[in-house]
Short mmCIF file of all heavy atoms in Angstrom, two decimals:
data_model
loop_
_atom_site.label_atom_id
_atom_site.label_comp_id
_atom_site.label_asym_id
_atom_site.label_seq_id
_atom_site.Cartn_x
_atom_site.Cartn_y
_atom_site.Cartn_z
N TYR A 1 0.87 -1.19 0.00
CA TYR A 1 0.00 0.00 0.00
C TYR A 1 0.90 1.23 0.00
O TYR A 1 1.75 1.37 0.87
CB TYR A 1 -0.86 -0.03 1.27
CG TYR A 1 -2.00 0.97 1.29
CD1 TYR A 1 -3.31 0.55 1.15
CD2 TYR A 1 -1.76 2.33 1.45
CE1 TYR A 1 -4.37 1.45 1.17
CE2 TYR A 1 -2.80 3.24 1.47
CZ TYR A 1 -4.10 2.81 1.33
OH TYR A 1 -5.14 3.70 1.35
N TYR A 2 0.70 2.10 -0.97
CA TYR A 2 1.55 3.29 -1.03
C TYR A 2 0.79 4.46 -1.64
O TYR A 2 -0.23 4.27 -2.32
CB TYR A 2 2.83 3.03 -1.85
CG TYR A 2 2.60 2.64 -3.30
CD1 TYR A 2 2.61 3.59 -4.31
CD2 TYR A 2 2.39 1.30 -3.65
CE1 TYR A 2 2.40 3.24 -5.63
CE2 TYR A 2 2.18 0.94 -4.98
CZ TYR A 2 2.18 1.91 -5.97
OH TYR A 2 1.96 1.56 -7.27
N TYR A 3 1.27 5.68 -1.39
CA TYR A 3 0.73 6.88 -2.04
C TYR A 3 1.63 7.25 -3.20
O TYR A 3 2.85 7.22 -3.09
CB TYR A 3 0.66 8.05 -1.06
CG TYR A 3 -0.46 7.93 -0.05
CD1 TYR A 3 -0.26 8.27 1.29
CD2 TYR A 3 -1.73 7.49 -0.42
CE1 TYR A 3 -1.29 8.18 2.22
CE2 TYR A 3 -2.76 7.39 0.50
CZ TYR A 3 -2.53 7.73 1.81
OH TYR A 3 -3.55 7.63 2.73
N GLU A 4 0.99 7.62 -4.31
CA GLU A 4 1.75 7.95 -5.52
C GLU A 4 1.78 9.47 -5.68
O GLU A 4 0.73 10.12 -5.67
CB GLU A 4 1.05 7.30 -6.72
CG GLU A 4 1.86 7.30 -7.97
CD GLU A 4 1.29 6.35 -9.03
OE1 GLU A 4 0.10 5.98 -8.94
OE2 GLU A 4 2.04 5.99 -9.94
N PHE A 5 2.98 10.03 -5.81
CA PHE A 5 3.13 11.48 -5.99
C PHE A 5 3.03 11.82 -7.48
O PHE A 5 3.49 11.06 -8.32
CB PHE A 5 4.52 11.94 -5.52
CG PHE A 5 4.79 11.73 -4.05
CD1 PHE A 5 5.76 10.83 -3.63
CD2 PHE A 5 4.07 12.43 -3.10
CE1 PHE A 5 6.02 10.64 -2.28
CE2 PHE A 5 4.33 12.25 -1.75
CZ PHE A 5 5.30 11.36 -1.34
N ASN A 6 2.47 12.99 -7.76
CA ASN A 6 2.54 13.51 -9.13
C ASN A 6 3.89 14.22 -9.29
O ASN A 6 4.03 15.38 -8.94
CB ASN A 6 1.38 14.47 -9.40
CG ASN A 6 1.41 15.00 -10.83
OD1 ASN A 6 2.34 14.74 -11.58
ND2 ASN A 6 0.38 15.74 -11.20
N THR A 7 4.86 13.48 -9.83
CA THR A 7 6.25 13.99 -9.89
C THR A 7 6.47 14.93 -11.06
O THR A 7 7.59 15.40 -11.27
CB THR A 7 7.25 12.82 -9.99
OG1 THR A 7 6.90 12.05 -11.15
CG2 THR A 7 7.18 11.94 -8.75
N THR A 8 5.41 15.23 -11.84
CA THR A 8 5.61 16.10 -13.02
C THR A 8 5.52 17.57 -12.67
O THR A 8 5.78 18.42 -13.51
CB THR A 8 4.56 15.79 -14.11
OG1 THR A 8 3.25 16.05 -13.59
CG2 THR A 8 4.66 14.34 -14.56
N ARG A 9 5.07 17.90 -11.42
CA ARG A 9 4.95 19.32 -11.07
C ARG A 9 5.27 19.55 -9.60
O ARG A 9 5.22 18.62 -8.80
CB ARG A 9 3.56 19.83 -11.42
CG ARG A 9 2.45 19.04 -10.77
CD ARG A 9 1.13 19.78 -10.91
NE ARG A 9 0.19 19.05 -11.73
CZ ARG A 9 -1.11 19.33 -11.78
NH1 ARG A 9 -1.58 20.34 -11.09
NH2 ARG A 9 -1.92 18.63 -12.51
N PRO A 10 5.59 20.81 -9.24
CA PRO A 10 5.89 21.10 -7.83
C PRO A 10 4.68 20.78 -6.95
O PRO A 10 3.55 20.86 -7.42
CB PRO A 10 6.16 22.61 -7.84
CG PRO A 10 6.42 22.98 -9.27
CD PRO A 10 5.66 22.00 -10.09
N PRO A 11 4.89 20.43 -5.66
CA PRO A 11 6.19 20.33 -4.98
C PRO A 11 6.86 18.96 -5.16
O PRO A 11 7.97 18.76 -4.72
CB PRO A 11 5.80 20.54 -3.52
CG PRO A 11 4.43 19.91 -3.41
CD PRO A 11 3.76 20.20 -4.73
N PHE A 12 6.17 18.01 -5.81
CA PHE A 12 6.66 16.62 -5.78
C PHE A 12 7.68 16.29 -6.86
O PHE A 12 8.11 15.15 -6.97
CB PHE A 12 5.48 15.65 -5.81
CG PHE A 12 4.54 15.82 -4.65
CD1 PHE A 12 3.20 16.10 -4.85
CD2 PHE A 12 5.01 15.75 -3.35
CE1 PHE A 12 2.35 16.29 -3.77
CE2 PHE A 12 4.18 15.94 -2.27
CZ PHE A 12 2.83 16.20 -2.49
N ASN A 13 8.06 17.29 -7.66
CA ASN A 13 9.18 17.05 -8.58
C ASN A 13 10.51 17.21 -7.85
O ASN A 13 11.57 17.01 -8.42
CB ASN A 13 9.10 18.00 -9.78
CG ASN A 13 9.08 19.47 -9.36
OD1 ASN A 13 8.95 19.77 -8.17
ND2 ASN A 13 9.19 20.37 -10.32
N ASP A 14 10.44 17.54 -6.54
CA ASP A 14 11.64 17.68 -5.71
C ASP A 14 11.77 16.43 -4.82
O ASP A 14 10.91 16.17 -3.97
CB ASP A 14 11.52 18.93 -4.84
CG ASP A 14 12.82 19.27 -4.10
OD1 ASP A 14 13.56 18.33 -3.73
OD2 ASP A 14 13.07 20.47 -3.88
N VAL A 15 12.83 15.66 -5.03
CA VAL A 15 13.02 14.40 -4.30
C VAL A 15 13.09 14.62 -2.78
O VAL A 15 12.68 13.77 -2.00
CB VAL A 15 14.27 13.64 -4.82
CG1 VAL A 15 15.56 14.39 -4.48
CG2 VAL A 15 14.32 12.22 -4.27
N ARG A 16 13.55 15.81 -2.36
CA ARG A 16 13.67 16.07 -0.92
C ARG A 16 12.29 16.12 -0.26
O ARG A 16 12.11 15.65 0.87
CB ARG A 16 14.40 17.41 -0.70
CG ARG A 16 15.87 17.36 -1.14
CD ARG A 16 16.50 18.73 -1.16
NE ARG A 16 15.84 19.63 -2.09
CZ ARG A 16 16.32 20.83 -2.43
NH1 ARG A 16 17.48 21.25 -1.93
NH2 ARG A 16 15.66 21.61 -3.27
N VAL A 17 11.32 16.67 -0.97
CA VAL A 17 9.95 16.74 -0.44
C VAL A 17 9.37 15.33 -0.30
O VAL A 17 8.78 14.97 0.72
CB VAL A 17 9.05 17.61 -1.36
CG1 VAL A 17 7.59 17.54 -0.92
CG2 VAL A 17 9.54 19.05 -1.36
N ARG A 18 9.56 14.52 -1.33
CA ARG A 18 9.03 13.14 -1.32
C ARG A 18 9.67 12.35 -0.18
O ARG A 18 9.00 11.62 0.56
CB ARG A 18 9.29 12.46 -2.66
CG ARG A 18 8.73 13.22 -3.85
CD ARG A 18 8.63 12.36 -5.10
NE ARG A 18 9.89 11.84 -5.58
CZ ARG A 18 10.62 12.39 -6.55
NH1 ARG A 18 10.24 13.54 -7.11
NH2 ARG A 18 11.75 11.83 -6.95
N LYS A 19 10.98 12.50 -0.03
CA LYS A 19 11.70 11.75 1.00
C LYS A 19 11.28 12.19 2.40
O LYS A 19 11.09 11.37 3.30
CB LYS A 19 13.21 11.94 0.80
CG LYS A 19 14.05 10.84 1.40
CD LYS A 19 15.50 10.93 0.92
CE LYS A 19 16.35 9.86 1.55
NZ LYS A 19 17.75 9.95 1.14
N ALA A 20 11.09 13.50 2.58
CA ALA A 20 10.69 14.04 3.88
C ALA A 20 9.33 13.47 4.30
O ALA A 20 9.15 13.04 5.45
CB ALA A 20 10.64 15.56 3.83
N LEU A 21 8.37 13.45 3.37
CA LEU A 21 7.04 12.93 3.70
C LEU A 21 7.10 11.44 4.02
O LEU A 21 6.41 10.95 4.92
CB LEU A 21 6.07 13.19 2.54
CG LEU A 21 5.72 14.67 2.31
CD1 LEU A 21 4.88 14.83 1.05
CD2 LEU A 21 4.97 15.25 3.50
N ASN A 22 7.93 10.72 3.31
CA ASN A 22 8.10 9.28 3.56
C ASN A 22 8.67 9.04 4.96
O ASN A 22 8.17 8.21 5.72
CB ASN A 22 9.02 8.70 2.48
CG ASN A 22 9.18 7.19 2.61
OD1 ASN A 22 8.29 6.49 3.11
ND2 ASN A 22 10.32 6.67 2.20
N MET A 23 9.71 9.81 5.31
CA MET A 23 10.39 9.59 6.59
C MET A 23 9.53 9.99 7.79
O MET A 23 9.67 9.45 8.88
CB MET A 23 11.70 10.39 6.63
CG MET A 23 12.74 9.86 5.68
SD MET A 23 14.14 10.98 5.61
CE MET A 23 15.38 10.02 6.41
N ALA A 24 8.62 10.96 7.59
CA ALA A 24 7.84 11.47 8.72
C ALA A 24 6.59 10.64 9.02
O ALA A 24 5.85 10.94 9.94
CB ALA A 24 7.44 12.92 8.45
N LEU A 25 6.36 9.59 8.22
CA LEU A 25 5.23 8.69 8.51
C LEU A 25 5.68 7.63 9.51
O LEU A 25 6.72 6.99 9.30
CB LEU A 25 4.76 7.97 7.24
CG LEU A 25 3.89 8.74 6.26
CD1 LEU A 25 3.51 7.81 5.12
CD2 LEU A 25 2.65 9.31 6.91
N ASP A 26 4.91 7.42 10.57
CA ASP A 26 5.21 6.33 11.50
C ASP A 26 4.54 5.06 10.97
O ASP A 26 3.38 4.78 11.26
CB ASP A 26 4.72 6.67 12.91
CG ASP A 26 5.30 5.71 13.94
OD1 ASP A 26 5.52 4.53 13.59
OD2 ASP A 26 5.53 6.13 15.09
N LYS A 27 5.29 4.32 10.18
CA LYS A 27 4.70 3.16 9.48
C LYS A 27 4.35 2.02 10.44
O LYS A 27 3.45 1.24 10.16
CB LYS A 27 5.67 2.68 8.39
CG LYS A 27 5.90 3.78 7.36
CD LYS A 27 6.88 3.37 6.29
CE LYS A 27 7.27 4.58 5.46
NZ LYS A 27 7.39 4.28 4.05
N ASP A 28 5.08 1.97 11.56
CA ASP A 28 4.75 0.93 12.56
C ASP A 28 3.34 1.15 13.11
O ASP A 28 2.57 0.21 13.26
CB ASP A 28 5.76 0.95 13.72
CG ASP A 28 7.15 0.55 13.24
OD1 ASP A 28 7.30 -0.61 12.82
OD2 ASP A 28 8.06 1.39 13.25
N ILE A 29 3.02 2.42 13.39
CA ILE A 29 1.67 2.73 13.92
C ILE A 29 0.61 2.43 12.87
O ILE A 29 -0.43 1.84 13.17
CB ILE A 29 1.60 4.20 14.39
CG1 ILE A 29 2.36 4.34 15.71
CG2 ILE A 29 0.15 4.66 14.57
CD1 ILE A 29 2.40 5.73 16.30
N ILE A 30 0.88 2.80 11.60
CA ILE A 30 -0.11 2.53 10.54
C ILE A 30 -0.34 1.02 10.39
O ILE A 30 -1.47 0.55 10.34
CB ILE A 30 0.33 3.16 9.19
CG1 ILE A 30 0.30 4.69 9.31
CG2 ILE A 30 -0.57 2.70 8.05
CD1 ILE A 30 0.85 5.43 8.11
N ALA A 31 0.76 0.24 10.37
CA ALA A 31 0.64 -1.22 10.17
C ALA A 31 -0.02 -1.90 11.37
O ALA A 31 -0.92 -2.72 11.21
CB ALA A 31 2.01 -1.82 9.89
N GLU A 32 0.44 -1.53 12.57
CA GLU A 32 0.01 -2.30 13.76
C GLU A 32 -1.24 -1.77 14.43
O GLU A 32 -2.03 -2.53 14.97
CB GLU A 32 1.16 -2.35 14.77
CG GLU A 32 2.33 -3.22 14.28
CD GLU A 32 3.67 -2.83 14.91
OE1 GLU A 32 3.66 -2.29 16.03
OE2 GLU A 32 4.71 -3.04 14.25
N LYS A 33 -1.44 -0.42 14.40
CA LYS A 33 -2.57 0.16 15.14
C LYS A 33 -3.72 0.56 14.20
O LYS A 33 -4.88 0.23 14.44
CB LYS A 33 -2.12 1.38 15.95
CG LYS A 33 -1.02 1.11 16.96
CD LYS A 33 -1.59 0.47 18.23
CE LYS A 33 -0.59 0.46 19.38
NZ LYS A 33 0.60 -0.36 19.13
N VAL A 34 -3.39 1.30 13.14
CA VAL A 34 -4.45 1.77 12.23
C VAL A 34 -5.05 0.59 11.47
O VAL A 34 -6.26 0.50 11.30
CB VAL A 34 -3.90 2.83 11.24
CG1 VAL A 34 -4.99 3.29 10.28
CG2 VAL A 34 -3.34 4.02 12.00
N LEU A 35 -4.20 -0.35 11.03
CA LEU A 35 -4.68 -1.53 10.28
C LEU A 35 -4.82 -2.74 11.20
O LEU A 35 -5.91 -3.26 11.38
CB LEU A 35 -3.76 -1.82 9.10
CG LEU A 35 -3.71 -0.71 8.04
CD1 LEU A 35 -2.59 -0.95 7.04
CD2 LEU A 35 -5.03 -0.59 7.31
N GLY A 36 -3.70 -3.21 11.75
CA GLY A 36 -3.74 -4.25 12.78
C GLY A 36 -4.31 -5.60 12.35
O GLY A 36 -4.96 -6.28 13.13
N GLN A 37 -4.07 -5.99 11.08
CA GLN A 37 -4.54 -7.31 10.64
C GLN A 37 -3.35 -8.17 10.19
O GLN A 37 -3.50 -9.07 9.37
CB GLN A 37 -5.53 -7.14 9.48
CG GLN A 37 -6.78 -6.39 9.87
CD GLN A 37 -7.61 -6.01 8.67
OE1 GLN A 37 -7.09 -5.47 7.69
NE2 GLN A 37 -8.90 -6.26 8.73
N GLY A 38 -2.16 -7.84 10.72
CA GLY A 38 -0.98 -8.61 10.33
C GLY A 38 -0.12 -7.91 9.29
O GLY A 38 0.86 -8.48 8.80
N GLN A 39 -0.49 -6.66 8.92
CA GLN A 39 0.32 -5.92 7.95
C GLN A 39 1.69 -5.57 8.52
O GLN A 39 1.85 -5.49 9.73
CB GLN A 39 -0.39 -4.61 7.54
CG GLN A 39 -1.62 -4.78 6.69
CD GLN A 39 -2.90 -4.97 7.48
OE1 GLN A 39 -2.87 -5.24 8.67
NE2 GLN A 39 -4.03 -4.84 6.81
N ARG A 40 2.66 -5.37 7.60
CA ARG A 40 4.01 -5.00 8.01
C ARG A 40 4.34 -3.60 7.50
O ARG A 40 3.85 -3.22 6.43
CB ARG A 40 5.03 -5.99 7.42
CG ARG A 40 4.85 -7.41 7.89
CD ARG A 40 5.89 -8.34 7.28
NE ARG A 40 5.79 -8.42 5.83
CZ ARG A 40 6.43 -9.33 5.10
NH1 ARG A 40 7.21 -10.21 5.68
NH2 ARG A 40 6.28 -9.36 3.79
N PRO A 41 5.18 -2.84 8.22
CA PRO A 41 5.59 -1.52 7.71
C PRO A 41 6.28 -1.68 6.35
O PRO A 41 7.09 -2.59 6.18
CB PRO A 41 6.58 -1.00 8.76
CG PRO A 41 6.35 -1.85 9.97
CD PRO A 41 5.83 -3.16 9.51
N ALA A 42 5.94 -0.82 5.39
CA ALA A 42 6.50 -0.94 4.03
C ALA A 42 7.59 0.10 3.81
O ALA A 42 7.30 1.28 3.70
CB ALA A 42 5.39 -0.77 3.00
N TRP A 43 8.82 -0.35 3.75
CA TRP A 43 9.94 0.55 3.44
C TRP A 43 10.42 0.38 2.01
O TRP A 43 11.30 1.09 1.54
CB TRP A 43 11.10 0.32 4.42
CG TRP A 43 10.76 0.81 5.79
CD1 TRP A 43 10.39 0.06 6.88
CD2 TRP A 43 10.67 2.17 6.22
NE1 TRP A 43 10.11 0.86 7.95
CE2 TRP A 43 10.28 2.18 7.57
CE3 TRP A 43 10.90 3.41 5.59
CZ2 TRP A 43 10.10 3.35 8.31
CZ3 TRP A 43 10.73 4.57 6.32
CH2 TRP A 43 10.34 4.53 7.66
N LEU A 44 9.83 -0.60 1.33
CA LEU A 44 10.19 -0.88 -0.07
C LEU A 44 8.91 -1.02 -0.87
O LEU A 44 7.87 -1.39 -0.32
CB LEU A 44 10.95 -2.21 -0.17
CG LEU A 44 12.24 -2.35 0.64
CD1 LEU A 44 12.61 -3.81 0.77
CD2 LEU A 44 13.35 -1.57 -0.06
N ILE A 45 8.98 -0.76 -2.17
CA ILE A 45 7.80 -0.94 -3.02
C ILE A 45 7.51 -2.43 -3.22
O ILE A 45 6.37 -2.84 -3.35
CB ILE A 45 7.97 -0.19 -4.38
CG1 ILE A 45 6.62 -0.04 -5.08
CG2 ILE A 45 8.96 -0.85 -5.28
CD1 ILE A 45 5.78 1.09 -4.58
N SER A 46 8.56 -3.26 -3.24
CA SER A 46 8.38 -4.70 -3.40
C SER A 46 8.34 -5.38 -2.04
O SER A 46 8.72 -4.80 -1.02
CB SER A 46 9.54 -5.30 -4.20
OG SER A 46 9.50 -4.85 -5.53
#
């Protein structure tokens, strides 16, 4: 499960913005508390 950025225009044509949003998500909380059905935090697309 992932969010797709529109990288063709600002602000998401800047890799720093994309990386910042990725790093600031607490994926453990999303996987274990928000979902809580055995999902794992996703740090890779695969």
Side-chain angles (χ1 to χ4, degrees):
Y1 192 108
Y2 61 94
Y3 286 138
E4 193 166 19
F5 297 114
N6 181 354
T7 57
T8 61
R9 56 167 115 165
F12 300 122
N13 57 351
D14 189 327
V15 68
R16 293 170 299 190
V17 172
R18 304 197 299 263
K19 203 168 178 182
L21 291 174
N22 183 29
M23 291 172 111
L25 282 182
D26 193 327
K27 299 178 191 219
D28 295 296
I29 286 179
I30 293 174
E32 291 155 27
K33 301 281 193 296
V34 179
L35 297 169
Q37 297 169 312
Q39 289 88 345
R40 297 181 297 192
W43 289 103
L44 302 163
I45 196 81
S46 292

